[in-house]
Amino acid sequence: APPADPDEFDLLDDAIGNRRVIAAASTHAGEEKIFIEVHRRLKEKFRDLLTIIVPRHPERGPGILDIATVAGLNAVARSEGHLPDRATDIYVADTMGELGLIYRMAPIVFIGGSLVRHGGQNPIEAAKLGAAILHGPHVWNFADIYTALDRADGAVEVADPALLVQKIAGWLTDETSRAASANAALDTVEDLSGAYGRTIAALEPYLLQLRLHYR
């Protein structure tokens, strides 16, 4: 699981408080606009909702702020030193190396690159930190792990904004269902892990021979 700075965790956790949080992580052009519309529709029912958007390329942060503003939403950028307050709808986490922090804040995570024809980003880190995972159909670059997650109900494929709204609303309403999906995701990635250790164990006899040879 990726790390998180404990001081930054405390600051962001205090700022968010008891609000409902969802995140769109490693997003690409086109996906932010979709997720901002998803937020607008979800906010009709979940008034305290905070959406965190983490663009794959942080330099796109100002453009995402503009999209949110045009949509009539209150948005602030982490790169400018802001923390979300009660009025914040969209928190743009346009910084590097902080996905571990965001995944710890958001129990529901959409993995970007998958609603556009880029290819989805790696979902393993989100799964290891207990997130219920959503993704689009374009995940050929991580096909094996997404197939395993989907089969175990540890992730859900969504093809359009309407399905995103429907699934997120369901998980925001039904904590038991969300937690079951998150647990299935964690179990799946743990079952698929361990290749490094097994490889080293298999190589150890040969490495020992080399050490003895060079002595």
Side-chain angles (χ1 to χ4, degrees), residues 24 27-42 51 53 67 90 110 114-116 158-165 168:
T27 55
H28 291 258
E31 292 179 320
E32 295 91 5
K33 186 175 182 179
I34 291 172
F35 228 80
I36 285 168
E37 177 59 24
V38 166
H39 177 94
R40 287 181 70 252
R41 294 168 66 176
L42 287 169
T51 293
I53 296 178
I67 295 171
I90 306 294
F110 166 78
S114 60
L115 274 176
V116 294
V158 289
D160 57 50
L163 287 175
L164 264 175
V165 171
I168 292 173

Side-chain angles (χ1 to χ4, degrees), residues 23-27 31 34-35 38 103 108-124 126-127 131-165 167-168 171 181 185 188:
S26 299
T27 55
E31 292 179 320
I34 291 172
F35 228 80
V38 166
Y103 288 154
I108 299 171
V109 174
F110 166 78
I111 305 295
S114 60
L115 274 176
V116 294
R117 294 184 180 277
H118 175 277
Q121 303 299 145
N122 194 327
I124 293 175
I133 296 169
L134 296 165
H135 64 88
H138 305 297
V139 292
W140 59 82
N141 49 334
F142 288 103
D144 290 344
I145 181 61
Y146 277 108
T147 297
L149 287 169
D150 289 352
R151 285 177 177 171
D153 294 325
V156 176
E157 179 181 317
V158 289
D160 57 50
L163 287 175
L164 264 175
V165 171
K167 193 60 190 181
I168 292 173
W171 277 343
S181 184
T188 299

